[in-house]
Amino acid sequence: MSDTSLENGLIGNSAIGALVDARGRIVWACLPRFDSDPVFCRLLNPADDEEGGAFSINLADFAHAEQEYIRHTAVLRTRLHDSHGGCIEITDFAPRFRLHGRIFHPSMLVRRVALVSGNPRISVQIDPRFEYGEFKPVITSGSHHIRYVGPSTVLRLTTDASIHAVLESRFFHLHDPLTFILGPDETVQASVASTGREFLDQTVAYWQDWVRTIFIPVDWQHEVIRSAITLKLNAFDDTGAIIAAMTTSIPEHPDSGRNWDYRFCWLRDAYFVVNALNRLGATTTMERYISYILNVVSAAEGGVLQPVYGISGEARLLERFAPALAGYRNMGPVRVGNLAYEQIQHDVYGSAVLAATHMFFDSRLQHPGDANLFHQLEPLGHKAFTHYNQPDAGIWELRGFTRVHTYSSIMCWAACDRLARIAKRLGLEERASFWRDSADRIHADICAQAWDESRQAFTASWGGDSLDASLLLMNEFGFLEADDPRFTATVEAIERELKRGDFIFRYVERDDFGHPEHAFLVCTFWYVYALHALGRKEEARACFERLLACTSKLGLLSEDVNQATGEQWGNFVQTYSMVGLVNCALRLSRRWDQAY
């Protein structure tokens, strides 16, 4: 599919999400929730039909298009122009607003099409697929609706457009506005036009009201607001989980085989996501995410945490291939599920404790941490102390071998360190002393085992000789002060060995799939953190500006970037990357009293 790219807009409502391409086609949408069957899967190219798996509104004699969000919302507008001066506008959104004292966010997509100028002709082509591209729907219709029936899912389209024109994908002149409501097999009670207008008005008002409640910096306000909305869209309201990305199997670089399903919740993300939400003032989303993590901790068998969980807290994420989908630009395989849940990653204990620490220090929260919660967290500290010097797969989930990863050890230290701080705040002096002693013992061991005197750097693993971009975070977690010469030396070593052009690679050594070819975006955001901590603030701002240049036209980021061309790769829209943008902007911006 030569026109397939990640230049897509994200719409959603914290129950579902969808990607709309630059020509206004819905090319990805999982219903009825983030990790469900992608009923629109054109982004991953149905193997038997390159045009299938999309909801398209086609303009005859198409010439060009432009796209933008309605200001401070998750409502997307696409204008399509024909070669005769005609123009139509497509407005796409998923309803979200307050209704009857709660948030109304159905598994529903709404599309409104209006005439802007000229005498354009359009056709509507709706071609969902089911069971990851395996089945085309059985189609039935009524006077104002079309049902798309799959093996386990039924979708209903309600519209005021000609039903036969839609069924036949026939071109017709657009005069009056048209509304398309796609969702569960339920009757729309009021007229579709009035329902669409009301849902649009209330959804726009919801998002614009929400944006007014968050904290933004003086600089890069537009970028931070878009990132904040995106984080909200990647949050699953029902449980509080925040997914890593909306998609599965977008390769990290061409034909790499590094195609993973990211529609799940990784504990490694917890600290960064919670920190960003806290700084933005999005405390409700933050508290629900922490609650999700604590529920996962409580359900963990034997207190052993996995790296990744399903959005309802599911532990088993069995991985399989979806052969009916050829993959992004025909670069399969397409994976469903993620075997990373079976891996051993000791950093997860620190990630969970770091996230929960906010409960004890942020008095805005509805359910502040107390001694009971502290005692619930202590087993995580014991696990961290037991495993800090044991081999694991590491933060990058190496599948072929294990070793004692320095990052994992540091996160185990962080678990004990934060438990000591929490105990002190609660006045539990004996427990504070116990956890401080534990943290100090881990700290001394890491410094003895992971510092390479000959290279003047902390290495990726104990006794190893390679570097890892995650060590840029040693100051972020408080493991080393910014003025510690070992931190400075490690950052300089990473600059020498992992920097390619403007970007930092997570590592450069060969792994299970060969040598990485594209930069993992969040690592360069971490580099900005480190530059800022070291007082190299002008360099930090310049590096951040180069990262901002990588965003799509709509301000969104994926997982990876081709450092030579700037093209985005990897799963999209990537929470890790958007969080990195927020955290950098909030650090680097001028103060408000310097703005005018």
Side-chain angles (χ1 to χ4, degrees):
M1 298 173 64
S2 59
D3 61 343
T4 303
S5 78
L6 296 183
E7 279 291 342
N8 302 310
L10 173 65
I11 60 171
N13 60 7
S14 298
I16 60 170
L19 297 178
V20 183
D21 76 3
R23 289 185 61 170
R25 299 172 292 200
I26 298 177
V27 294
W28 184 259
C30 298
L31 300 173
R33 60 185 224 171
F34 296 147
D35 57 354
S36 297
D37 181 22
V39 295
F40 296 117
C41 53
R42 189 175 188 265
L43 187 69
L44 296 184
N45 186 12
D48 63 335
D49 179 2
E50 289 198 350
E51 295 303 316
F55 184 163
S56 305
I57 296 172
N58 303 303
L59 179 65
D61 301 318
F62 170 80
H64 66 276
E66 65 258 357
Q67 205 168 43
E68 65 179 1
Y69 285 103
I70 294 180
R71 184 175 182 267
H72 297 172
T73 75
V75 180
L76 185 67
R77 281 184 170 160
T78 308
R79 286 197 171 191
L80 305 180
H81 300 262
D82 65 24
S83 56
H84 312 294
C87 177
I88 66 169
E89 183 174 81
I90 306 168
T91 303
D92 284 308
F93 66 99
R96 182 179 175 89
F97 50 86
R98 189 166 292 278
L99 180 68
H100 305 311
R102 58 188 178 187
I103 296 296
F104 175 69
H105 53 115
S107 296
M108 175 188 292
L109 299 171
V110 180
R111 317 199 76 186
R112 303 184 76 233
V113 187
L115 173 67
V116 176
S117 64
N119 191 29
R121 296 169 62 239
I122 68 168
S123 71
V124 180
Q125 183 177 3
I126 304 174
D127 189 7
R129 299 297 176 86
F130 296 102
E131 305 298 324
Y132 288 86
E134 291 279 357
F135 298 101
K136 295 183 178 181
V138 174
I139 298 176
T140 64
S141 62
S143 56
H144 296 289
H145 76 268
I146 303 172
R147 297 170 72 244
Y148 301 90
V149 182
S152 58
T153 304
V154 180
L155 297 177
R156 177 186 287 248
L157 175 79
T158 306
T159 184
D160 49 7
S162 163
I163 293 296
H164 287 286
V166 174
L167 289 171
E168 298 163 13
S169 301
R170 179 167 22 91
F171 277 95
F172 58 91
H173 287 283
L174 178 66
H175 299 295
D176 299 319
L178 299 176
T179 301
F180 302 85
I181 298 177
L182 182 72
D185 189 20
E186 301 170 357
T187 302
V188 175
Q189 297 299 324
S191 78
V192 66
S194 63
T195 299
R197 283 195 302 271
E198 179 184 358
F199 283 7
L200 174 62
D201 291 344
Q202 295 206 50
T203 299
V204 168
Y206 167 83
W207 284 111
Q208 292 180 342
D209 286 344
W210 183 80
V211 166
R212 285 195 291 272
T213 69
I214 65 173
F215 175 82
I216 59 172
V218 171
D219 301 315
W220 309 295
Q221 293 186 16
H222 175 78
E223 293 85 350
V224 169
I225 289 170
R226 181 52 49 201
S227 297
I229 291 172
T230 303
L231 292 179
K232 183 76 169 171
L233 294 180
N234 280 11
F236 187 55
D237 261 5
D238 187 63
T239 66
I242 297 180
I243 57 173
M246 280 286 171
T247 59
T248 177
S249 303
I250 309 297
E252 294 179 15
H253 56 82
D255 298 310
S256 64
R258 301 173 190 265
N259 301 11
W260 314 114
D261 193 346
Y262 271 17
R263 298 171 298 162
F264 307 117
C265 185
W266 267 260
L267 292 186
R268 72 179 181 202
D269 300 356
Y271 167 81
F272 303 99
V273 174
V274 168
N275 216 24
L277 292 171
N278 180 276
R279 293 181 179 209
L280 288 167
T283 53
T284 300
T285 303
M286 179 185 79
E287 195 164 4
R288 288 192 54 73
Y289 183 43
I290 294 172
S291 177
Y292 165 86
I293 293 169
L294 293 176
N295 283 328
V296 164
V297 169
S298 297
E301 188 173 343
V304 177
L305 293 183
Q306 300 174 185
V308 58
Y309 290 87
I311 61 175
S312 292
E314 304 95 325
R316 289 169 60 82
L317 305 174
L318 297 175
E319 189 175 296
R320 62 182 175 86
F321 295 129
L325 297 176
Y328 181 75
R329 299 186 184 175
N330 292 306
M331 296 176 189
V334 171
R335 288 184 171 91
V336 180
N338 200 308
L339 278 181
Y341 83 91
E342 294 183 336
Q343 290 189 347
I344 303 299
Q345 293 181 33
H346 301 318
D347 63 286
V348 293
Y349 302 106
S351 296
V353 173
L354 282 168
T357 298
H358 285 269
M359 304 291 285
F360 299 90
F361 292 90
D362 190 338
S363 60
R364 297 172 298 174
L365 302 188
Q366 185 176 3
H367 302 290
D370 56 14
N372 288 329
L373 177 57
F374 170 74
H375 293 309
Q376 181 184 345
L377 296 175
E378 283 196 290
L380 300 179
H382 290 301
K383 288 288 184 184
F385 189 76
T386 301
H387 293 95
Y388 79 90
N389 57 1
Q390 300 300 306
D392 72 352
I395 186 177
W396 308 123
E397 299 173 355
L398 301 175
R399 294 193 172 197
F401 55 91
T402 63
R403 52 193 178 184
V404 182
H405 286 92
T406 305
Y407 177 83
S408 297
S409 300
I410 290 172
M411 292 300 283
C412 289
W413 167 84
C416 298
D417 174 79
R418 294 326 191 260
L419 286 172
R421 300 186 192 196
I422 294 168
K424 184 175 181 180
R425 184 172 181 84
L426 295 174
L428 304 173
E429 297 301 332
E430 184 275 330
R431 301 312 296 161
S433 177
F434 173 84
W435 288 115
R436 177 54 54 211
D437 289 345
S438 299
D440 289 346
R441 288 177 60 185
I442 296 175
H443 195 286
D445 216 359
I446 294 171
C447 291
Q449 300 295 331
W451 173 257
D452 187 326
E453 185 66 28
S454 64
R455 301 192 66 187
Q456 286 293 290
F458 281 91
T459 54
S461 61
W462 290 22
D465 60 1
S466 61
L467 297 179
D468 183 337
S470 64
L471 300 181
L472 291 166
L473 296 167
M474 288 189 295
N475 172 254
E476 174 74 13
F477 295 131
F479 184 80
L480 293 180
E481 296 297 329
D483 59 0
D484 190 311
R486 293 171 298 178
F487 177 60
T488 303
T490 300
V491 173
E492 291 173 349
I494 288 172
E495 288 175 315
R496 290 192 301 270
E497 298 190 28
L498 300 186
K499 192 174 182 184
R500 300 292 184 272
D502 294 327
F503 301 95
I504 301 291
F505 273 51
R506 51 189 170 181
Y507 53 83
V508 293
E509 62 183 319
R510 183 179 181 85
D511 62 16
D512 315 336
F513 293 86
H515 293 282
E517 294 184 14
H518 286 171
F520 201 68
L521 278 166
V522 76
C523 295
T524 309
F525 285 115
W526 294 346
Y527 177 53
V528 174
Y529 299 176
L531 290 175
H532 180 261
L534 291 170
R536 298 163 58 182
K537 295 183 179 180
E538 291 305 314
E539 291 177 76
R541 287 179 69 95
C543 185
F544 181 52
E545 291 286 359
R546 290 192 291 271
L547 282 164
L548 291 178
C550 295
T551 60
S552 70
K553 294 175 182 177
L554 293 168
L556 306 177
L557 287 169
S558 65
E559 179 188 47
D560 303 271
V561 65
N562 181 324
Q563 63 277 11
T565 67
E567 183 180 12
Q568 296 196 58
W569 287 81
N571 282 303
F572 182 87
V573 176
Q574 179 80 3
T575 293
Y576 234 8
S577 300
M578 303 308 293
V579 163
L581 189 158
V582 169
N583 284 330
C584 282
L586 293 173
R587 289 161 201 255
L588 299 176
S589 175
R590 293 169 296 163
R591 300 194 313 265
W592 278 96
D593 59 4
Q594 297 173 328
Y596 42 80

